[in-house]
Amino acid sequence: MNAVHEVYVVSRAQTLIALCGTVPGYWFTVALIDHIGRFAIQLMGFFFMTVFMFALAIPYHHWTLKANRIGFLVMYSLTFFFANFGPNATTFVVPAEIFPARLRSTCHGISAAAGKAGAMVGAFGFLYAAQSTDPAKTDAGYPPGIGVKNSLIVLGCINFFGMLFTLLVPESKGKSLEELSGENEEDSSSGNEASANRTVPI
C-alpha cells in the first residue's frame, strides 16, 4: 500500500481502539474515582494491564493466526481500557493532591515531565524492541530487536512493577488538600506552641 493508504489504515485501527477502550476507560474513571478511590483504580489498572499483556505475550503465536485477530484486538483494547481506568488517569490526579502546598506545582510538574519522558521512551523503545531478531525480517532502517512477544513480556513486567510501586501511594479520596499535606497539624502545633509560650500578666 502507498503511504496515504497506510496512514488511513493505521488511523482507522487506532480510532477503533480509542473508541472501544481508551474513551470508556476515562468515563469509568470519572464516574467511580470518588467512590472506589484513586489507590484502588490505579492498583486495579496496573494489575489488569499486567494480566492482559502476559495473556497477549505468552501465547503470542496463537494471536498471530488470522482466525484469532479479533480476539487479539479485544485483548489489546482491554489493556487500553484499564490503562485509562487506571494509571493514565490517576497519575495526573494523585500528584495534584498529595504533594505539600509549598511544593505542589513544582512536584506536579516533575511528575508530569517524568510521565511524558516515559511515554516517549515507551513509544520509541517499543518500535525498536519489537523488531524481529532476524535481520532479514526487520522493517527498513531498523536494527534487529527482541521481537513482539518479548517486548510484550517486558511491558507486562513494567506494569507489574507499577502495581508494586502503587502500594507506596497514599489514598487521597475524601480528604482535603490540607489534610493530605499535614498543614492542619502544623498549624495546630504552631498555635499550641504559641499559646504555651504566651505569658499572662497577673
Side-chain angles (χ1 to χ4, degrees):
M1 65 181 73
N2 59 40
V4 175
H5 188 215
E6 183 178 1
V7 169
Y8 167 73
V9 171
V10 172
S11 300
R12 185 177 63 179
Q14 293 295 342
T15 302
L16 180 64
I17 291 170
L19 290 175
C20 295
T22 306
V23 175
Y26 273 121
W27 290 342
F28 271 74
T29 299
V30 170
L32 298 174
I33 193 167
D34 285 327
H35 296 283
I36 63 178
R38 287 80 165 142
F39 176 84
I41 288 177
Q42 183 164 313
L43 190 68
M44 177 187 62
F46 273 127
F47 172 77
F48 281 108
M49 286 169 67
T50 303
V51 169
F52 288 120
M53 282 294 178
F54 285 132
L56 289 173
I58 294 171
Y60 181 69
H61 176 71
H62 169 80
W63 299 116
T64 60
L65 302 177
K66 189 173 182 178
N68 301 321
R69 289 181 179 178
I70 299 300
F72 180 88
L73 183 62
V74 171
M75 298 281 283
Y76 190 61
S77 297
L78 284 170
T79 64
F80 277 88
F81 175 84
F82 283 105
N84 290 284
F85 185 35
N88 263 12
T90 57
T91 48
F92 66 79
V93 173
V94 173
E97 297 178 332
I98 65 173
F99 289 124
R102 300 178 187 86
L103 304 171
R104 187 167 293 139
S105 296
T106 301
C107 292
H108 196 182
I110 293 171
S111 296
K116 303 302 180 287
M120 289 189 292
V121 170
F124 288 103
F126 186 84
L127 191 61
Y128 281 87
Q131 297 297 318
S132 174
T133 54
D134 184 356
K137 295 181 180 179
T138 59
D139 294 336
Y142 289 96
I146 60 175
V148 176
K149 177 176 181 176
N150 291 329
S151 298
L152 290 173
I153 290 174
V154 169
L155 290 178
C157 292
I158 292 171
N159 288 326
F160 177 74
F161 281 112
M163 183 172 61
L164 295 182
F165 280 112
T166 298
L167 300 175
L168 304 175
V169 178
E171 176 59 80
S172 55
K173 181 186 73 171
K175 297 179 181 178
S176 68
L177 298 180
E178 290 76 14
E179 286 180 287
L180 291 166
S181 61
E183 291 173 7
N184 285 345
E185 296 175 6
E186 292 178 7
D187 292 341
S188 62
S189 62
S190 299
N192 292 336
E193 289 177 7
S195 300
N197 294 331
R198 187 182 300 124
T199 57
V200 179
I202 300 176

